Amino acid sequence: MKKILFFITLLIVYSCASYEDLRSDNRYKITTIRIGYTLDTVVKIMGDDSASSDISGRYGETIRNPYKSENINYKGNNYLVYYYYTERIGDKSWETAVTPIIFLNNVVTGIGWRSMEQIGLESQSKTIKVR
């Protein structure tokens, strides 16, 4: 019985990606997303991966895809923004560590902070919810 529990524990530990793996995977996957893709397509591409340790195996916050989501009402339109973890956070704010994907009517209308600025959207931290 102890051996079985030990192997299950090892499987769980090694099946979880590290923060570095998740960041790298997310950066790559985002490069494959295009304006006009549907929300369902983006969710399939990005997956529901998670990470809870650094590369040395030290555990911390569990980070999931998407890292955060937010609804922003702007000029009569309701935008949905998914934020994906793509950079190391360290002592910086969470905004410096994520890449936003912006949806309008469940279709990608922008990718990245520059797109948010061009559309005129600003994140309101109090409305951001961990998914």
Side-chain angles (χ1 to χ4, degrees), residues 49-95:
D49 300 336
S50 66
S52 57
S53 70
D54 63 20
I55 203 159
S56 68
R58 192 171 347 139
Y59 287 94
E61 173 190 5
T62 297
I63 297 175
R64 301 187 191 303
N65 275 348
Y67 180 66
K68 295 183 185 278
S69 64
E70 177 177 37
N71 286 303
I72 302 173
N73 194 322
Y74 181 70
K75 292 188 177 181
N77 292 309
N78 189 27
Y79 292 89
L80 172 64
V81 183
Y82 275 8
Y83 299 92
Y84 288 93
Y85 179 56
T86 55
E87 302 297 329
R88 186 180 180 116
I89 294 176
D91 61 352
K92 299 177 262 180
S93 68
W94 70 267
E95 291 96 338

Side-chain angles (χ1 to χ4, degrees), residues 7-77:
F7 286 114
I8 290 172
T9 303
L10 280 179
L11 180 63
I12 290 169
V13 168
Y14 287 107
S15 66
C16 296
S18 70
Y19 298 143
E20 290 82 356
D21 293 335
L22 183 61
R23 287 192 306 257
S24 177
D25 289 348
N26 284 347
R27 281 193 303 267
Y28 171 74
K29 290 174 184 177
I30 285 174
T31 65
T32 68
I33 295 172
R34 302 288 177 252
I35 303 298
Y37 279 17
T38 65
L39 175 63
D40 289 341
T41 300
V42 170
V43 168
K44 284 179 189 170
I45 291 170
M46 296 304 294
D48 61 356
D49 300 336
S50 66
S52 57
S53 70
D54 63 20
I55 203 159
S56 68
R58 192 171 347 139
Y59 287 94
E61 173 190 5
T62 297
I63 297 175
R64 301 187 191 303
N65 275 348
Y67 180 66
K68 295 183 185 278
S69 64
E70 177 177 37
N71 286 303
I72 302 173
N73 194 322
Y74 181 70
K75 292 188 177 181
N77 292 309

Side-chain angles (χ1 to χ4, degrees), residues 109-120:
T109 59
I111 302 166
W113 289 103
R114 184 162 291 157
S115 290
M116 289 214 23
E117 291 172 8
Q118 290 172 343
I119 295 169

